[in-house]
Amino acid sequence: MSTGFPSILWFDKGSLNPDPYIGRGSLKGLSKFATKKLGINVPLREFSTILVDVDDSNFDGIVLNNLEHAMVEFYTDWCGACTSLQPVYENVAKSFSGEVELVIVRCDADKNSR
């Protein structure tokens, strides 16, 4: 599914076919992507938060079989770009939290087969 890291994929509600995020790993870029996919405008906020981690045991339930859209970051611990993206991705997750039917999660690609 993924060809490089970090990879961010959007899963529409009920869809098994994700759309990849192609762009800079910035708060503005990721927020614009989510806003376009959802068709709404959510104000950006700066936060520190812990993202929900998904793995092989809960990926289907949280991402594929959920009644919400899902944006999933596939990362690795050895990837410098992944580390740089982390605070940005967390801010996007918190900004959209509770606003829409969207779950924003991350998945360690080294430890999981997704």
Side-chain angles (χ1 to χ4, degrees):
M1 196 179 295
S2 170
T3 59
F5 302 105
S7 293
I8 297 176
L9 301 177
W10 181 276
F11 292 83
D12 280 319
K13 285 191 256 186
S15 175
L16 301 178
N17 300 314
D19 292 324
Y21 168 70
I22 300 169
R24 297 182 52 91
S26 66
L27 181 59
K28 185 177 178 181
L30 286 169
S31 178
K32 185 176 179 180
F33 176 68
T35 296
K36 181 179 177 184
K37 296 297 285 179
L38 292 167
I40 63 166
N41 190 12
V42 175
L44 292 178
R45 301 178 293 235
E46 295 285 334
F47 294 98
S48 286
T49 185
I50 297 174
L51 290 164
V52 174
D53 288 305
V54 293
D55 57 31
D56 289 339
S57 70
N58 63 4
F59 187 92
D60 288 354
I62 293 175
V63 175
L64 300 181
N65 299 330
N66 201 329
L67 297 178
E68 299 177 310
H69 301 287
M71 187 161 63
V72 183
E73 174 198 13
F74 294 89
Y75 71 96
T76 64
D77 289 334
W78 50 263
C79 171
C82 299
T83 302
S84 297
L85 178 65
Q86 197 57 43
V88 170
Y89 196 65
E90 288 179 359
N91 284 336
V92 171
K94 190 62 176 176
S95 291
F96 281 84
S97 176
E99 297 286 340
V100 293
E101 296 177 343
L102 173 65
V103 60
I104 300 178
V105 299
R106 65 185 185 171
C107 182
D108 186 333
D110 280 337
K111 297 177 183 173
N112 299 285
S113 64
R114 295 291 174 176

